[in-house]
Amino acid sequence: MCVFRPMFHSQPYPLQSGSAPFQDRLSGSPRGLLLCRGTGEEPHCEQDMPLRDIADARALFGSINGSFVGVGMTAFSRITPAHFIPSYRIVCHKKSCDLDLLKKTVPVFSLEELVGEPVNEGLESVSLISHPMVRELLAGLAGPVHLILYQNYPALESIKGEMGWRLAANPSALRLKLADRRFFREMIEKLALPAVPGAVIPLGEFLSGSYGYWSGLFGKRYVVQLVDIIQGGGRGTFFVTDPDSHLSLCRRLEEKVWRGVTINYVSLRSFIEGEAASIALCVTKNGILVSRIQRQVIDAPYCDGFVESGIFCGHSWDDMSWGDRVNSEAKRQSLAIGNYLAGLGYRGICGIDILVDGFNESVFVLELNPRYTGAFPMLSLLQMDRGILPMEAVHLLELLSVPYSIDIEALNEAYMEPLRGGHLIVFVLTAAGRPLSLKPINSGLYELSGQNGNAAFLRECASFNGPEGLGQFVVLEGPPNFEGRELVFNDNLARLCRLMFSSPITDARGRLSQEATAAARWAYKAIVG
C-alpha cells in the first residue's frame, strides 16, 4: 500500500486536555489530534524566517497558533498542506470512495458521510461551512481557526468575525473583479501583451449578427464565451466553425439563460491553432513565482457529446522542450501579469491559460484564474516528489501574512525543472437532472488488462508515483460512495473521479495517449455502467 505519509503523522498523538469534542469524529480513529494553543498573534521575529524546503515550511506553520482547516468539495483537493502543517485537517462536502484511504494521512470530516445521505444544497464553501454540524466542529477547535479556501465569497467575509475565523484567501471583491473577462481584456491591453483579436459585446448584438458578419471580423472560426459564466473548465465556451454552428448557438441563447445564469455579454475571439497550456503563478512580497508551462488536456476523446467546447480534462507534465523563445515569452508575460496583480493587492496562487503557437513561436494569454487552479494538488505533489518546495506552501504563508523569506530566483529555477506525470478528470457527462445509480470502486492502483478495455485493481495507493508505466493509474477523489442510491447532478461537468499517472499522458502535440483514454473510458463504465 502506498499513501501520503507526512512526517508529523508517523506517531499517534496523545489527546490533549481541553481538546475539541468532535476530534474523534473528525479523525475517524480513536487517536486524538495535536492542537496548537495560543492567542493567534503572529510570532515575533527579529528577521523573517527562511523558507527553503518542506522542513522549513513545517517549522514556520508549526510556529503559528490555532488550527488549520482545508475546506473543499472533496478531501483530495485539499491534501497538500497535510505535508507541512502539523495541526491540519480537512472538512469536505463529498462522501467519496477514497475517504478511508486519505484518513490514513490526515483527519477528514465529510459532511455527507456524517449525515449519511447526499447533501445537494449548494456546492461551494459557504454552504458547507454554514452547515450546523460543520460550525459546531469548527467552534470546538483551538483558535484561531484558519480556513484554507479554494476561493473567497462575500458571505464568508460577513460571518468570519463573529465566528473567529481567519480566511486564507484573497478578498472576495478582488477575486470577483479579476475573474471578470472584461477586466482580463483591459489588463492585456494595459500591459501591451500579444492578444487574440476579439471583443466583449452585449448578447443582443451578437444574436442580431449573422455568421457572415462575425466571421468577417474574427475569421471563419471563432470562439464565443459567455462572460456571465464565471465557473471555468469550459463552461459557457463554444467554437463556431460554420453558419450552422452559429445558428445553433444563437438558438440555444435565445432565452438569454445558460446553466441557470442570465447572460448579458459574450466575448468573441478569433480561433487560433495551437496547443492549450497553463502556467501557475504565485504573487509574493519577494516577487513572482512562475511554474513551467503545463500541457492541458482539452476536449479529450472520452468527453464527446458536450455542446460546449474547450472542456478542461487534465494536465500532462513532461520534459519535452517548448523552445527557448516560447519559454522566454511565456515567462515575460507571466511576470508582467503577476506584477500587475500585485499592484492591485492580490497575493498567492493564480493561474493563466495560454495558447502556444509553436509554428510561429508565439504565446497568447487566454484567461486569468485568480484562485487555486485545476493543476493543483497534482502540481504540488509532483514538486514535492522532486524535493522542491511546493508553491502551495508559499501561497498560504502570503495569505496568512506570516514573516518569511525565500530566494525567489533559486525557487523559480527549481520550478523550471521538468516534471513527469499526468492527471485526468472523469465527468458525469449525462444530461443535468438525470438520476444516476453509481457503483463504488476501490481507490488505489489499477492496471489496464489486455485489449478488452478492462482494468484490474492491484492495491491501495494514494500516490501518483505508484503506477509503473502508462498502463497503470491511480483512482482518487471519487466516485461518490452511495451504492444503491440514485444521485442527481445539475452539471454534466460534475466530477466522478480523478485518474493520476506517473508518466506524461500526451504527445508533443497535446494528443491524449491511447492508454490514458482507455483508463478514463474504463473508469466511467465501471462507475456509471
Side-chain angles (χ1 to χ4, degrees):
M1 179 179 70
C2 49
V3 298
F4 300 118
R5 183 64 66 182
M7 288 178 59
F8 53 82
H9 278 290
S10 59
Q11 298 293 331
Y13 292 131
L15 188 64
Q16 296 186 348
S17 61
S19 54
F22 271 77
Q23 283 180 340
D24 289 348
R25 186 179 294 169
L26 177 61
S27 66
S29 67
R31 74 183 186 190
L33 301 176
L34 181 62
L35 299 180
C36 300
R37 300 180 179 276
T39 63
E41 297 179 357
E42 305 298 348
H44 174 72
C45 300
E46 294 298 327
Q47 60 183 9
D48 293 351
M49 297 177 66
L51 180 63
R52 297 156 296 195
D53 50 31
I54 283 289
D56 287 343
R58 290 192 187 104
L60 273 165
F61 282 99
S63 71
I64 304 173
N65 294 317
S67 305
F68 291 85
V69 180
V71 180
M73 290 302 99
T74 63
F76 179 73
S77 64
R78 296 293 167 268
I79 195 67
T80 303
H83 292 262
F84 51 79
I85 301 182
S87 62
Y88 186 66
R89 74 289 318 278
I90 296 172
V91 170
C92 68
H93 186 115
K94 295 296 183 182
K95 178 190 176 187
S96 51
C97 290
D98 59 352
L99 286 185
D100 288 342
L101 185 57
L102 297 179
K103 286 178 183 178
K104 296 176 181 180
T105 294
V106 60
V108 177
F109 173 95
S110 161
L111 180 59
E112 288 188 341
E113 185 177 47
L114 183 63
V115 301
E117 61 182 11
V119 180
N120 295 319
E121 295 84 12
L123 291 177
E124 70 282 326
S125 301
V126 178
S127 61
L128 175 61
I129 297 175
S130 298
H131 194 281
M133 289 184 174
V134 177
R135 284 203 177 198
E136 186 178 356
L137 162 72
L138 297 177
L141 298 178
V145 175
H146 307 276
L147 299 182
I148 298 174
L149 306 173
Y150 171 69
Q151 60 188 16
N152 204 351
Y153 297 89
L156 284 179
E157 292 172 331
S158 66
I159 61 176
K160 70 173 184 177
E162 66 176 276
M163 300 303 298
W165 300 335
R166 293 188 175 185
L167 307 182
N170 283 282
S172 61
L174 178 59
R175 191 263 301 177
L176 291 170
K177 174 183 177 179
L178 302 189
D180 192 314
R181 289 190 173 98
R182 287 164 291 193
F183 165 84
F184 171 78
R185 294 200 66 85
E186 292 171 1
M187 177 186 70
I188 295 299
E189 291 177 5
K190 287 181 179 179
L191 296 176
L193 299 181
V196 177
V200 175
I201 61 173
L203 174 61
E205 183 178 341
F206 169 71
L207 294 177
S208 65
S210 66
Y211 169 78
Y213 176 75
W214 295 120
S215 63
L217 293 176
F218 302 112
K220 292 183 178 180
R221 292 190 294 172
Y222 52 89
V223 180
V224 178
Q225 289 183 299
L226 308 183
V227 172
D228 302 278
I229 302 289
I230 60 175
Q231 193 175 10
R235 295 171 179 85
T237 299
F238 305 87
F239 294 167
V240 176
T241 58
D242 53 36
D244 288 342
S245 58
H246 173 84
L247 182 60
S248 176
L249 176 57
C250 289
R251 287 173 176 168
R252 295 180 187 280
L253 298 179
E254 282 179 350
E255 300 298 323
K256 300 184 178 181
V257 174
W258 188 257
R259 290 185 174 270
V261 177
T262 299
I263 306 302
N264 297 301
Y265 291 90
V266 299
S267 168
L268 272 71
R269 287 192 294 208
S270 300
F271 184 95
I272 296 180
E273 293 285 355
E275 286 189 62
S278 69
I279 297 173
L281 310 180
C282 189
V283 180
T284 83
K285 64 178 182 178
N286 299 279
I288 311 301
L289 294 172
V290 183
S291 79
R292 184 180 170 91
I293 299 175
Q294 308 164 125
R295 297 182 193 275
Q296 287 186 329
V297 180
I298 302 294
D299 292 334
Y302 64 87
C303 289
D304 50 0
F306 279 116
V307 172
E308 291 145 310
S309 302
I311 303 300
F312 168 75
C313 302
H315 282 93
S316 181
W317 289 268
D318 57 51
D319 50 11
M320 290 183 282
S321 175
W322 293 87
D324 291 342
R325 183 173 176 180
V326 167
N327 286 330
S328 176
E329 181 62 12
K331 185 174 183 179
R332 181 188 74 83
Q333 295 187 37
S334 298
L335 291 175
I337 292 173
N339 284 312
Y340 186 79
L341 299 183
L344 298 176
Y346 189 88
R347 292 294 182 269
I349 285 173
C350 67
I352 56 175
D353 293 338
I354 65 173
L355 186 74
V356 179
D357 179 355
F359 182 79
N360 295 304
E361 296 185 302
S362 302
V363 176
F364 298 94
V365 178
L366 301 179
E367 194 162 291
L368 172 68
N369 298 302
R371 49 169 170 75
Y372 275 115
T373 73
F376 296 92
M378 186 70 178
L379 176 58
S380 292
L381 301 178
L382 288 167
Q383 290 171 340
M384 289 187 291
D385 185 64
R386 292 288 303 273
I388 301 171
L389 180 73
M391 194 177 282
E392 283 188 68
V394 185
H395 164 79
L396 294 176
L397 290 171
E398 281 291 329
L399 294 175
L400 294 169
S401 299
V402 176
Y404 76 97
S405 64
I406 55 173
D407 185 333
I408 198 82
E409 292 184 3
L411 193 50
N412 267 333
E413 185 176 342
Y415 286 161
M416 289 298 113
E417 291 296 317
L419 303 171
R420 293 181 60 81
H423 68 153
L424 288 176
I425 307 301
V426 180
F427 302 104
V428 169
L429 299 182
T430 56
R434 174 188 167 189
L436 291 176
S437 182
L438 304 180
K439 302 173 185 177
I441 62 174
N442 292 324
S443 295
L445 182 64
Y446 287 80
E447 184 172 38
L448 294 172
S449 54
Q451 302 296 319
N452 57 6
N454 290 328
F457 178 72
L458 300 182
R459 66 181 186 276
E460 285 189 341
C461 184
S463 175
F464 79 91
N465 55 16
E468 298 178 359
L470 274 178
Q472 294 187 359
F473 56 95
V474 170
V475 178
L476 280 177
E477 203 172 5
N481 192 5
F482 286 102
E483 187 172 14
R485 296 283 299 273
E486 285 195 336
L487 305 180
V488 176
F489 297 89
N490 296 320
D491 183 359
N492 56 0
L493 284 175
R495 299 181 176 188
L496 289 177
C497 67
R498 184 193 302 258
L499 309 183
M500 299 195 302
F501 304 81
S502 60
S503 301
I505 55 177
T506 61
D507 62 17
R509 297 183 61 184
R511 294 173 298 195
L512 192 62
S513 70
Q514 293 182 354
E515 294 87 350
T517 301
R521 292 192 189 281
W522 168 84
Y524 184 83
K525 183 177 179 180
I527 297 168
V528 179

